[in-house]
Amino acid sequence: MDRVFNFAAGPSAMPAEALETAAREMLCYGESGMSVMEMSHRSKAYQDIFDGTVALVRELMNVPEDYEVLLLQGGATGQFAAIPMNLMGEGDSADYIDSGNFAHIAMNEAQKYGGVRCVASSREENYRRIPDWTQADFDPNAKYVYITTNNTIFGTRYARLPETGDVPLVADMSSNILSEVYDLRRFGAVYAGAQKNIGPAGVTLVIVRRDLLGRARKSCPQIMNWTIMAEKGSMLNTPPTYAIYMCGLCLKWLKEQGGVAAIEKVNIEKSKLLYDLLDESAFYRPAAEAASRSRMNVTFTTPDKDTDALFVKEAAARGLVNLKGHRLVGGIRASIYNAMPLEGVRALADFMKDFEMEHR
Amino acid sequence: MDRVFNFAAGPSAMPAEALETAAREMLCYGESGMSVMEMSHRSKAYQDIFDGTVALVRELMNVPEDYEVLLLQGGATGQFAAIPMNLMGEGDSADYIDSGNFAHIAMNEAQKYGGVRCVASSREENYRRIPDWTQADFDPNAKYVYITTNNTIFGTRYARLPETGDVPLVADMSSNILSEVYDLRRFGAVYAGAQKNIGPAGVTLVIVRRDLLGRARKSCPQIMNWTIMAEKGSMLNTPPTYAIYMCGLCLKWLKEQGGVAAIEKVNIEKSKLLYDLLDESAFYRPAAEAASRSRMNVTFTTPDKDTDALFVKEAAARGLVNLKGHRLVGGIRASIYNAMPLEGVRALADFMKDFEMEHR
């Protein structure tokens, strides 16, 4: 069976080179005589793999020295609770921008632990754009301002970041981390589930400025406590060892592509190819507002729901799979993360033109 | 490089057959055209893998119909917090038996969420045996009684279970789950990190009697909330998809070995081989009290620390690796989980005899 072009929103396509290395090393890694899966997380061989993965994160994201890099479990959903428990004391509050379904869930989860102000929301427009805000909207006493840099379901992206002064900006970057250059000094903490642009599901990357540690409330479960995890080098308990190894292989691939600045150019080219096609077409309609367009998740519709479904079906027959939009938006969604080659996006664009010719 | 016999305490040896299947399917699973790592957790192909894994747990452990099987993240350390948050309200208390380091940490973590009574402890004897208890020690109003069925670090195992009447028994089975037949009706909930007898690190199996759901406190993070996870089929958020697939491959292997009752016989034979040798030797000294001996972790010492270190080094040169004891016990520890073949234990026994001859 040939490999398909997989446009899934996450878990999603991974570099074939990383998978080939993993297959080759599955029964025996180097001179260890065992699979990485079988290694004690306390062994030197595994610590080297772990440290190498963290070093690649630091290098590729240009992580400043005074930021900790943590590799945890529990996904973004775990961090929805961890963030307030690590950054807010009893009686404190935080500002949230409600730009999508996951931002909204994060806001709801945070309300279990402290005061939450919704600074701006595009919920009533079904999140088709990043909501507007002005400087005056933010509470200078907030413990943090929370954003979701890319909204997977709706296909939107912050084209500019809020200026939050001394209040730390905290960002869920799950669906666009490593896809474009960010200056981490703009943030107090960023985090991401691995399963879109880092590696397989089961790892959560957290990068936090060191001066924000030491604030976790006592009731924070140990595995969610950034301070304890930083002290223990992310190994308070057994980490998801193999998934972290896979992240390392994927990051190595990204470095070989030239790193984040280089892949950002490819990502701009890939997304432009599709958006130009959508803008020129009277058949397809882009779902997200132009100024808020994501480079990772391109959402659109055909003239009607039946045609949407036919599109997804016929695309799959051409080896272009997982194009069905999320139920909250409908239509079609092409997720084109770092591991989706330009060739795959070209194949999709060609199919889109053919499909339009046939069905308009 | 040949594969070694890996006596690591966890992550630990896995069945070579499972690793071979994983290597073969790494770039393309069945007719999917993609790696399992790349599959959306919402796809039919992945749901089938997930359901198959849960079905194998149910079959192999003979899980009663009124128990939920959850596949979560965060390891046993996560459950140390999840258990009190799911089973105790404010002002409630629970009984703990302190039989080892992890039981002790679990007890400390639970104290953050409610009252904790230590019913029995062998801490002052460095946990060399399972502590004694009598029926009268238990609080009939406790929300649960907590035990650790096998203590990895010290090499001890509960030879009998406490009778707790209407109070649910909750067991950390991380290091002996699936190694012997348990009647799950004796327990309200059991759980285990996967990395010893189930599959790779990064998955936590929780089996809970359904009538214990619905009690989680409001401040329980969603990813730790058994009730929400049961409602969502363990997929409130993205599960550790690939690690769960690997668990399925390992469980399939276990089924092919004849299941838990069959492997229990092998485990008794494997551990007896080593304990008989220890008992007959004047050179080696078993670390755990005879009545409390583990079938999974065999702990012992040679006459002195230098000889312990030499043992570990010379064994490694023969391809018998990761035999160094935990720092809390010292000496030597042979972890012989399900995936360690009888052949590996025989090789260790042969080495032990040779080493004794040479160094006594």
Side-chain angles (χ1 to χ4, degrees):
Chain A
M1 175 82 195
D2 287 338
R3 278 174 58 81
V4 294
F5 287 118
N6 176 12
F7 294 91
S12 48
M14 288 170 69
E17 294 87 335
L19 297 170
E20 281 158 9
T21 303
R24 202 168 54 238
E25 296 180 338
M26 180 60 82
L27 274 96
C28 185
Y29 175 84
E31 297 294 303
S32 71
M34 64 182 77
S35 177
V36 173
M37 269 184 223
E38 302 177 292
M39 285 183 185
S40 167
H41 59 298
R42 306 291 183 197
S43 65
K44 166 129 187 13
Y46 186 73
Q47 188 70 54
D48 287 348
I49 291 171
F50 184 94
D51 292 345
T53 304
V54 170
L56 279 165
V57 170
R58 286 200 167 273
E59 181 184 345
L60 289 165
M61 293 188 69
N62 197 17
V63 179
E65 265 309 308
D66 56 326
Y67 284 63
E68 286 285 343
V69 173
L70 308 176
L71 298 175
L72 309 177
Q73 295 185 62
T77 308
Q79 293 305 312
F80 296 167
I83 288 160
M85 284 197 277
N86 277 281
L87 297 179
M88 269 203 270
E90 312 278 345
D92 289 337
S93 83
D95 284 353
Y96 277 68
I97 297 182
D98 178 23
S99 62
N101 193 51
F102 290 114
H104 198 78
I105 296 171
M107 200 163 70
N108 286 344
E109 185 77 347
Q111 278 167 0
K112 289 164 34 179
Y113 308 101
V116 166
R117 285 177 67 240
C118 180
V119 172
S121 175
S122 49
R123 189 172 177 82
E124 294 198 352
E125 298 159 73
N126 200 28
Y127 299 119
R128 60 183 301 274
R129 61 183 185 89
I130 302 296
D132 297 319
W133 69 84
T134 63
Q135 215 58 24
D137 294 332
F138 297 109
D139 172 7
N141 295 314
K143 288 297 161 184
Y144 58 90
V145 173
Y146 182 99
I147 62 169
T148 311
T149 48
N150 185 84
N151 298 279
T152 323
I153 294 176
F154 309 94
T156 63
R157 163 186 173 271
Y158 280 72
R160 67 182 178 105
L161 296 173
E163 299 285 345
T164 60
D166 288 340
V167 179
L169 184 61
V170 173
D172 177 356
M173 289 193 175
S174 291
S175 54
N176 75 333
I177 196 162
L178 293 164
S179 74
E180 60 179 293
V181 175
Y182 277 108
D183 175 6
L184 287 181
R185 292 232 165 267
R186 297 287 302 270
F187 303 89
V190 306
Y191 74 97
Q195 65 269 20
K196 298 166 202 285
N197 261 337
I198 307 175
V203 183
T204 318
L205 170 65
V206 175
I207 304 175
V208 54
R209 211 173 60 211
R210 225 165 260 145
D211 68 334
L212 296 174
L213 298 177
R215 305 179 183 192
R217 60 182 67 186
K218 193 171 160 284
S219 58
C220 180
Q222 282 203 299
I223 61 155
M224 291 190 167
N225 187 314
W226 295 345
T227 308
I228 292 173
M229 280 299 194
E231 281 165 7
K232 298 284 186 181
S234 301
M235 291 209 208
L236 167 73
N237 61 333
T238 313
T241 49
Y242 191 77
I244 290 170
Y245 153 79
M246 282 304 311
C247 290
L249 294 183
C250 294
L251 294 172
K252 190 163 162 278
W253 170 86
L254 178 54
K255 186 177 169 181
E256 286 160 6
Q257 307 311 302
V260 176
I263 208 99
E264 179 174 3
K265 284 185 193 149
V266 180
N267 287 329
I268 290 171
E269 185 179 354
K270 277 153 55 183
S271 55
K272 190 170 183 302
L273 197 73
L274 297 180
Y275 286 124
D276 283 353
L277 192 155
L278 294 176
D279 287 338
E280 286 158 17
S281 162
F283 179 78
Y284 298 112
R285 213 176 93 175
E289 197 173 276
S292 297
R293 282 174 178 172
S294 167
R295 297 169 182 167
M296 296 286 102
N297 314 97
V298 178
T299 49
F300 56 97
T301 50
T302 69
D304 59 74
K305 283 183 183 177
D306 289 346
T307 313
D308 289 345
L310 192 64
F311 179 101
V312 171
K313 196 180 157 191
E314 290 192 6
R318 279 218 212 172
L320 308 167
V321 308
N322 288 324
L323 282 159
K324 190 179 173 189
H326 190 281
R327 65 184 160 72
L328 294 178
V329 177
I332 294 143
R333 172 175 56 178
S335 295
I336 50 174
Y337 300 115
N338 287 352
M340 172 59 66
L342 183 56
E343 180 199 354
V345 178
R346 285 206 181 112
L348 174 59
D350 289 345
F351 169 75
M352 286 172 71
K353 288 176 208 156
D354 293 350
F355 187 84
E356 177 174 352
M357 289 284 280
E358 199 176 329
H359 296 281
R360 72 181 165 194
Chain B
M1 174 87 194
D2 286 339
R3 278 175 57 82
V4 293
F5 287 119
N6 177 12
F7 294 91
S12 49
M14 289 170 68
E17 294 86 335
L19 296 170
E20 282 158 8
T21 303
R24 203 169 52 240
E25 297 179 338
M26 181 58 84
L27 273 96
C28 185
Y29 176 84
E31 296 294 304
S32 70
M34 66 182 78
S35 177
V36 173
M37 271 186 221
E38 303 176 294
M39 284 182 185
S40 168
H41 59 298
R42 305 292 182 197
S43 66
K44 166 127 187 12
Y46 186 73
Q47 188 70 52
D48 287 348
I49 291 171
F50 185 94
D51 292 345
T53 304
V54 170
L56 280 165
V57 170
R58 287 201 166 272
E59 179 183 346
L60 288 165
M61 294 189 67
N62 198 16
V63 179
E65 266 307 309
D66 56 326
Y67 284 62
E68 286 285 343
V69 174
L70 307 176
L71 298 175
L72 307 178
Q73 295 185 63
T77 308
Q79 293 306 311
F80 296 167
I83 287 159
M85 283 196 278
N86 277 281
L87 297 178
M88 271 203 267
E90 311 278 345
D92 289 338
S93 85
D95 283 353
Y96 276 68
I97 299 183
D98 178 24
S99 63
N101 193 52
F102 290 115
H104 198 78
I105 296 172
M107 200 163 70
N108 285 345
E109 185 78 346
Q111 278 167 0
K112 290 168 24 182
Y113 308 101
V116 166
R117 285 178 67 242
C118 180
V119 172
S121 175
S122 49
R123 189 172 178 82
E124 294 197 354
E125 298 159 73
N126 200 28
Y127 299 120
R128 62 182 300 275
R129 62 182 184 87
I130 301 296
D132 296 319
W133 69 84
T134 64
Q135 215 56 25
D137 295 332
F138 296 109
D139 172 8
N141 295 315
K143 289 296 162 184
Y144 59 90
V145 174
Y146 181 99
I147 63 168
T148 311
T149 50
N150 186 85
N151 299 277
T152 324
I153 293 176
F154 310 93
T156 63
R157 164 187 172 269
Y158 280 73
R160 67 182 178 103
L161 295 173
E163 298 285 346
T164 59
D166 288 339
V167 179
L169 184 61
V170 173
D172 177 356
M173 290 193 173
S174 292
S175 55
N176 74 333
I177 196 162
L178 292 162
S179 74
E180 60 178 292
V181 175
Y182 278 108
D183 175 6
L184 287 181
R185 293 230 164 268
R186 297 286 303 271
F187 302 89
V190 306
Y191 73 95
Q195 65 269 20
K196 298 166 202 287
N197 261 337
I198 307 175
V203 183
T204 318
L205 170 65
V206 175
I207 304 176
V208 53
R209 211 174 60 213
R210 224 164 262 146
D211 68 333
L212 296 174
L213 297 177
R215 303 178 183 195
R217 62 181 67 185
K218 193 172 161 283
S219 59
C220 181
Q222 283 203 300
I223 61 156
M224 292 190 167
N225 187 314
W226 294 345
T227 308
I228 291 174
M229 279 299 194
E231 282 165 7
K232 298 284 185 180
S234 301
M235 291 208 207
L236 167 73
N237 61 333
T238 313
T241 49
Y242 191 78
I244 290 170
Y245 153 79
M246 283 305 311
C247 290
L249 294 183
C250 293
L251 293 171
K252 189 164 165 275
W253 170 86
L254 178 53
K255 186 178 170 180
E256 286 161 6
Q257 308 310 301
V260 176
I263 208 99
E264 179 173 5
K265 284 184 194 149
V266 180
N267 287 329
I268 290 170
E269 185 179 354
K270 278 154 53 182
S271 55
K272 190 170 183 301
L273 198 72
L274 297 180
Y275 286 123
D276 284 354
L277 193 154
L278 294 176
D279 287 338
E280 286 158 19
S281 162
F283 179 79
Y284 297 111
R285 212 176 93 178
E289 198 173 274
S292 296
R293 283 175 177 171
S294 167
R295 296 169 182 167
M296 296 286 103
N297 314 94
V298 179
T299 49
F300 57 97
T301 50
T302 69
D304 58 72
K305 282 183 184 179
D306 288 346
T307 312
D308 289 345
L310 191 65
F311 180 100
V312 171
K313 196 180 158 191
E314 289 193 5
R318 277 218 213 170
L320 308 167
V321 306
N322 288 325
L323 282 160
K324 189 178 174 189
H326 190 280
R327 65 185 161 73
L328 295 177
V329 178
I332 294 144
R333 172 175 57 180
S335 294
I336 50 173
Y337 301 115
N338 287 352
M340 172 59 65
L342 183 55
E343 180 199 356
V345 177
R346 285 204 181 112
L348 173 60
D350 289 345
F351 168 75
M352 286 172 70
K353 287 176 209 158
D354 293 350
F355 187 85
E356 176 173 356
M357 290 282 280
E358 200 176 327
H359 296 281
R360 73 181 165 196

